[in-house]
Amino acid sequence: MKFLRWFVIVLLMAAPLQAAEQLFDLTEVVPGVYAAIARDQYEVNCNAAVILLDDGVLVVDSHSKPSAARALIEQIKTITDKPVRYVVDTHFHWDHYQGNQAYVGVWPAGIEIISSEATREDIERRGIPRIKSEILYVPKDIARLKAELAKAVGEKKKAEIRGNLRQAEDYLAELKSMRVVLPTLTFDRSLILHQRSRTVEILWLGRGHTDGDVVVYLPKEKFLATGDLVQGFTPFMGDSYPYDWIKTLEKLGKLDYEYAVGGHGGIMHGKAQLLMLESYFRDLMAETTDAYSQGRSLEESRKIVAPKLIEKYGKNFPPAFSHEVMGNIDKAYRVVSGSMD
């Protein structure tokens, strides 16, 4: 179940967080455009972008569960009395769309949930089965936490585990009662919202992190919400298309933007993170291809490629990169060996 829980390994320090202001740090990036940066939770939430429009609000991504989305809704109400009219699901991964349900029925005028056509299909075909699988997995995680609590020494450690345990139990309860809400408005290449005060471009530039990734671009404000195409964590590549990802980043780099909010990590200034990721993917694929062409096994390739990537890129990623890079090498090896795209 690594593909479902890749984020969790770097987020093990959260206590139970209930109030809205404890879930997200809401910061105005440019006038009327906010970054909702997710605080650490045992079950991770993605970041969001909150964009004020003439007659409403557009939110980019809806987090891992309805309760998190409801928390952000309460925070949004502290900065505007406008209704949320649009939610954009940047891709089909659980922590970006499972909160859709929370936005339905809150405002009388209703809401449109927007995604690429590929993302809507992915939620139906892959996202929903993964939720069912997660319902089977989480109880095992709860049992593991209970075992850790029984062995824990020191009140600080025990409190940490109790907090994680409560969050895991709450998450399981939400999974069991959650209603998957599919996007209601889909598109192929682009969808543009023309408003008096600003223009919002929702763009599919190519396959990358998944086959349906979209970005939300405000050309006048030079602001970009990137989903997980560009973000601050070690890239999860389980559903990715590595060579396409490089090409998509090249296209993304041609957009004129100064500020970006990714699915995870902090607010990004300029294009340094994008260029670093593009370089990382190129090196990952080149080094893995070289190892494979020499007849190296996957295990041998990991031992050869990982130290090179860690030395060059380790400082750009969280500390867990030294372990997470192995999954990236595994993906690259399967691609260059012809076992997948």
Side-chain angles (χ1 to χ4, degrees), residues 13-234:
M13 297 181 65
L17 303 172
Q18 300 298 327
E21 65 272 14
Q22 294 178 305
L23 292 185
F24 300 93
D25 291 318
L26 197 59
T27 302
E28 191 170 30
V29 181
V30 297
V33 179
Y34 296 78
I37 303 299
R39 292 189 176 185
D40 288 354
Q41 287 259 277
Y42 185 69
E43 293 294 342
V44 71
N45 291 308
C46 68
N47 295 335
V50 178
I51 301 169
L52 304 191
L53 305 174
D54 296 335
D55 56 354
V57 179
L58 181 147
V59 177
V60 182
D61 283 329
S62 68
H63 322 304
S64 64
K65 46 194 175 291
S67 62
R70 287 192 293 270
L72 181 58
I73 287 170
E74 292 306 310
Q75 285 187 267
I76 292 171
K77 290 178 179 178
T78 69
I79 60 173
T80 182
D81 58 1
K82 295 178 180 180
V84 175
R85 292 194 59 202
Y86 307 98
V87 170
V88 177
D89 293 340
T90 59
H91 61 287
F92 82 98
H93 286 161
W94 64 290
D95 56 311
H96 292 255
Y97 83 89
Q98 287 184 177
N100 285 354
Q101 173 187 339
Y103 287 92
V104 177
V106 176
W107 292 275
I111 188 167
E112 292 280 12
I113 299 175
I114 303 170
S115 78
S116 64
E117 182 62 23
T119 288
R120 190 182 197 279
E121 293 177 358
D122 284 338
I123 293 173
E124 283 190 291
R125 297 175 182 178
R126 295 193 279 177
I128 293 174
R130 290 183 184 185
I131 290 174
K132 294 177 180 178
S133 179
E134 188 81 339
I135 290 173
L136 297 177
Y137 178 89
V138 175
K140 298 177 183 178
D141 207 27
I142 290 172
R144 177 186 59 80
L145 288 167
K146 288 180 177 179
E148 288 183 5
L149 181 60
K151 298 177 182 178
V153 176
E155 194 52 43
K156 182 178 179 180
K157 183 64 176 178
K158 290 180 180 179
E160 176 186 315
I161 297 173
R162 288 191 193 101
N164 291 336
L165 180 58
R166 281 192 293 270
Q167 289 185 52
E169 291 172 337
D170 290 345
Y171 179 57
L172 178 60
E174 281 201 70
L175 280 176
K176 289 179 177 179
S177 63
M178 188 172 62
R179 176 170 57 90
V180 173
V181 175
L182 295 171
T184 56
L185 180 61
T186 63
F187 63 94
D188 184 12
R189 299 280 175 171
S190 66
L191 178 66
I192 302 176
L193 301 179
H194 297 278
Q195 300 237 324
R196 185 177 63 257
S197 62
R198 69 172 94 246
T199 297
V200 181
E201 299 181 9
I202 308 171
L203 308 171
W204 181 88
L205 299 175
R207 301 189 302 182
H209 179 62
T210 71
D211 60 350
D213 301 272
V214 300
V215 299
V216 177
Y217 177 50
L218 307 184
K220 186 175 73 173
E221 295 81 358
K222 296 186 177 182
F223 173 86
L224 186 67
T226 62
D228 284 356
L229 279 171
V230 182
Q231 42 94 4
F233 284 6
T234 304

Side-chain angles (χ1 to χ4, degrees), residues 305-315 321-323 325-326:
V305 176
K308 297 178 181 179
L309 296 177
I310 292 169
E311 180 180 2
K312 186 172 181 179
Y313 296 100
K315 64 182 181 296
F321 175 71
S322 59
H323 302 289
V325 70
M326 299 303 179

